[in-house]
Amino acid sequence: MARHEQIKDEGLRALMDEAHRQLRQGKATDAVHTLSDAFVSMLRDHPELVHTATVVRGRKMPLVARWPAYGANLVVDPGGRDEPRIEYIRDRFATSEALTYYEFTVDTALSQGL
Amino acid sequence: MKFGLFYELQLPKPAEGESWDPDAERRIYHEMLEQVELADRLGFDYVFEVEHHFLEEYSHSSSPELVMAALSQRTRNIRLGHGIVLTPPGYNHPARVAERIAALDILSNGRVEFGSGESSSDMELGGFGVDRGLKKAMWEEATREICHMMTQEPYEGFGGEFFSMPSRNVVPKPVQRPHPPLWVAASRRETTMVAARLGMASLGFGFETPEELGERAEEYWRLVREECFPIGRAINPGLAVLTTFMCAETDEEAVRRSAGGPGFFAYSLGYYYNPATGGRHDPGRTNLYRQFRDLPREGQDGRSSLWAAGLLGESPPTEDEPEDEVQRALFRAARRGPAIGTADTIRRNIKRYEDNHLDVLVLVAQCGDRRHEHIMEAIERFGTEVMPEYKERHETEHRPWREKRLAEVDCPVNSSI
């Protein structure tokens, strides 16, 4: 069973399912867009995640700062006035990048019990 | 479970001096050749050598293809692994990688392991003008095309995002067909799973407990079976982890000989890989080893050194391991790891990795200021007192375990594991 199938949130699971399908079809760029939608929807539905802390290379930083930096850039307003969004600075993404976005999004969803 | 040695060619500066003695680099290169010759005679399965640039003291291994060419003539059986070669074209043109891999495979009579990676330090990325945000895509594009170059006759040519070239027959071709086994550097869980999906073995720091490794191996193999889209023409499923290593007559002697090796390894790696410190490195002037030695003694086990280097957040070090998986790996590497102790101690400790289906345990002996004669003795002890039973069980137990899983895999397999 693919790991995203363990996600409890139906809407989120559906998006991850779509991304997984796109990955299997070799549509890496489409998958990155879908995964970006999935992660942003996670943040919108659970705004506390914006302030959830994690440790990267020994430095404490918000979970959202771990979103992979491959050109689908997450824009977050810590004050919460603006909704989280993605700014794309690249037109195309590689399979390995899309897979990394997928793994990160699944890991985050499952670790947060979503 | 199989075993390998791993080389950064670490060369700390003298704590009391400004630079190395003029013979130091020549010495560590030739000591490595001697160590690997011994390992080969004893039946070690792999030697992996890194490619790093400008990371003075941490790694002086910038031309691994040359060192392994020398090893190809001084060894008979040990597999010669790039751990890894940097494939973003700014470091190495893909055609040159394909050519060198094939030539080494010929010289070694088919013993090359093609490990690839994208690099991570500001010193290297900045030194070669490689865009950090694009390096993963560069790695993937180049590695895929390198595999095509090694198999197509002629290579069809390519118009890619990061490099282009017309059709050419890239020669020579490697001995191993379709190409040498593929590996990728992968320390984070995410990257290990990407490796599975691309049909590559994963080579990374031992960041998990043996039990966590077991869970990871289960997911890794599921992905190989169900979701593999190979980057090459054959897959090489496998998991290898690195751990620091010193074997001596007593546990106390092993710890003493291990000395600051793992601590300096963790400290210098953390230094270069943290943009806050590595990005401000003063080439030719900084003395990393003196900085490390100036840490409080209790800090030299790695935990405090990471903290002192600003890598353990804002709190003083505690007994808790870092939460971040890579830092946890460094933390554990800096503490006494499973492969430091007597032969008996090591045998007991690493059994748990075997039980959880680790394919290859890669031993980091040459690190920090460890002495060549201690490393040689450690290799000898481990090779004669610990390794044989594991190699036997690899054939009688682990290989059938792997074959059962590989029977469910559709793709061609080329693996030395």
Side-chain angles (χ1 to χ4, degrees):
Chain A
M1 180 172 74
R3 286 184 75 234
H4 70 269
E5 293 175 35
Q6 301 170 44
I7 294 173
K8 295 177 215 158
D9 182 306
E10 286 183 13
L12 183 59
R13 191 172 65 246
L15 279 171
M16 295 302 293
D17 203 49
E18 173 65 13
H20 189 253
R21 224 178 351 259
Q22 289 162 332
L23 284 167
R24 293 190 73 120
Q25 291 168 352
K27 298 176 179 174
T29 300
D30 290 347
V32 170
H33 283 256
T34 305
L35 291 161
S36 299
D37 290 344
F39 193 69
V40 165
S41 78
M42 211 189 302
L43 298 181
R44 285 178 184 157
D45 293 343
H46 304 275
E48 70 279 6
L49 289 177
V50 171
H51 303 289
T52 298
T54 186
V55 176
V56 178
R57 300 194 188 280
R59 289 174 295 154
K60 259 192 179 175
M61 63 174 66
L63 169 71
V64 293
R66 290 202 61 210
W67 173 252
Y70 300 141
N73 293 347
L74 180 66
V75 180
V76 168
D77 174 9
R81 288 180 299 273
D82 298 326
E83 288 207 314
R85 67 182 193 281
I86 298 286
E87 279 181 359
Y88 294 97
I89 60 171
R90 288 171 60 194
D91 295 327
R92 287 190 298 171
F93 294 89
T95 299
S96 56
E97 293 171 322
L99 289 170
T100 308
Y101 278 117
Y102 171 85
E103 288 291 337
F104 176 79
T105 308
V106 168
D107 280 348
T108 301
L110 293 179
S111 69
Q112 299 300 319
L114 302 182
Chain B
M1 190 160 70
K2 292 195 167 185
F3 296 96
L5 293 178
F6 182 83
Y7 285 88
E8 298 273 2
L9 289 179
Q10 295 213 317
L11 186 59
K13 284 184 178 175
E16 292 75 32
E18 292 309 316
S19 191
W20 306 276
D21 79 71
D23 194 51
E25 285 179 313
R26 188 202 66 80
R27 192 184 69 245
I28 61 166
Y29 268 69
H30 285 271
E31 285 173 354
M32 178 189 168
L33 298 183
E34 211 178 313
Q35 289 160 17
V36 177
E37 273 186 308
L38 173 61
D40 178 52
R41 284 202 302 275
L42 293 169
F44 277 72
D45 303 284
Y46 300 92
V47 55
F48 284 98
E49 190 187 353
V50 307
E51 177 186 347
H52 278 305
H53 302 276
F54 324 129
L55 304 187
E56 45 192 327
E57 301 185 73
Y58 172 69
S59 172
H60 287 235
S61 172
S62 51
S63 300
E65 65 280 1
L66 296 180
V67 176
M68 290 203 285
L71 285 172
S72 74
Q73 303 305 294
R74 290 173 65 159
T75 60
R76 287 179 177 271
N77 300 303
I78 197 166
R79 307 278 304 175
L80 305 176
H82 277 290
I84 45 78
V85 59
L86 297 171
T87 57
Y91 292 114
N92 294 291
H93 190 281
R96 294 292 288 121
V97 176
E99 289 168 339
R100 288 195 293 257
I101 294 283
L104 182 61
D105 208 39
I106 288 170
L107 287 170
S108 65
N109 294 312
R111 290 188 280 143
V112 171
E113 302 283 328
F114 175 23
S116 62
E118 58 190 76
S119 84
S120 191
S121 71
D122 278 349
M123 288 299 292
E124 294 171 290
L125 293 165
F128 283 88
V130 176
D131 187 322
R132 180 180 283 279
L134 297 173
K135 64 187 178 77
K136 187 177 282 294
M138 291 176 180
W139 162 80
E140 181 184 328
E141 180 181 270
T143 304
R144 198 182 301 276
E145 291 308 307
I146 290 166
C147 293
H148 289 325
M149 290 174 193
M150 288 194 284
T151 54
Q152 291 174 357
E153 194 161 349
Y155 172 59
E156 291 168 354
F158 184 68
E161 193 172 349
F162 306 110
F163 89 98
S164 299
M165 67 180 273
S167 173
R168 295 286 186 273
N169 195 16
V170 179
V171 292
K173 294 286 192 264
V175 166
Q176 298 179 84
R177 300 299 172 106
H179 49 63
L182 304 178
W183 297 73
V184 64
S187 285
R188 294 190 184 276
R189 186 191 175 284
E190 299 146 3
T191 324
T192 301
M193 299 312 151
V194 172
R197 288 189 166 95
L198 296 178
M200 309 173 88
S202 165
L203 174 66
F205 291 107
F207 44 85
E208 62 275 89
T209 64
E211 291 70 31
E212 287 168 349
L213 171 69
E215 289 169 13
R216 194 167 298 206
E218 194 179 321
E219 175 65 4
Y220 176 92
W221 280 95
R222 184 190 72 78
L223 291 174
V224 169
R225 283 195 308 275
E226 299 176 12
E227 302 191 28
C228 188
F229 301 95
I231 196 170
R233 297 283 299 278
I235 65 171
N236 177 33
L239 290 170
V241 300
L242 278 61
T243 191
T244 78
F245 164 64
M246 181 53 65
C247 188
E249 194 171 351
T250 65
D251 286 337
E252 292 74 22
E253 183 64 15
V255 171
R256 191 188 68 77
R257 290 180 177 186
S258 188
F264 180 73
F265 190 107
Y267 179 79
S268 52
L269 171 58
Y271 172 85
Y272 280 117
Y273 278 48
N274 180 358
T277 48
R280 295 202 305 261
H281 177 71
D282 193 0
R285 294 189 177 82
T286 303
N287 186 322
L288 269 188
Y289 190 61
R290 184 186 298 147
Q291 288 180 11
F292 170 68
R293 287 279 297 270
D294 285 346
L295 294 173
R297 185 153 185 92
E298 62 273 13
Q300 290 178 18
D301 66 355
R303 183 176 45 160
S304 296
S305 61
L306 294 172
W307 174 70
L311 301 182
L312 270 184
E314 295 166 13
S315 303
T318 68
E319 287 302 317
D320 295 330
E321 292 185 325
E323 196 182 305
D324 175 71
E325 64 181 274
V326 174
Q327 288 312 302
R328 195 165 61 233
L330 299 176
F331 170 75
R332 289 178 180 177
R335 303 292 293 277
R336 180 176 159 177
I340 296 179
T342 65
D344 280 343
T345 296
I346 294 174
R347 181 187 300 110
R348 267 198 317 274
N349 287 344
I350 65 176
K351 185 71 175 66
R352 290 163 65 205
Y353 288 93
E354 183 189 62
D355 292 342
N356 282 279
H357 308 299
L358 181 66
D359 292 295
V360 186
L361 187 63
V362 184
L363 306 173
V364 183
Q366 199 276 341
C367 58
D369 58 359
R370 286 177 172 181
R371 291 165 58 174
H372 171 60
E373 56 269 31
H374 293 162
I375 295 171
M376 291 289 280
E377 184 183 325
I379 292 171
E380 178 87 41
R381 279 186 185 275
F382 184 88
T384 52
E385 298 178 42
V386 181
M387 206 165 65
E389 65 180 86
Y390 279 90
K391 286 174 70 79
E392 185 181 335
R393 285 197 297 271
H394 183 90
E395 296 306 315
T396 58
E397 295 175 22
H398 190 64
R399 188 180 292 282
W401 182 89
R402 280 179 58 88
E403 284 170 1
K404 189 172 166 189
R405 275 143 192 83
L406 286 170
E408 303 170 53
V409 172
D410 244 344
C411 315
V413 177
N414 183 21
S415 177
S416 60
I417 296 174

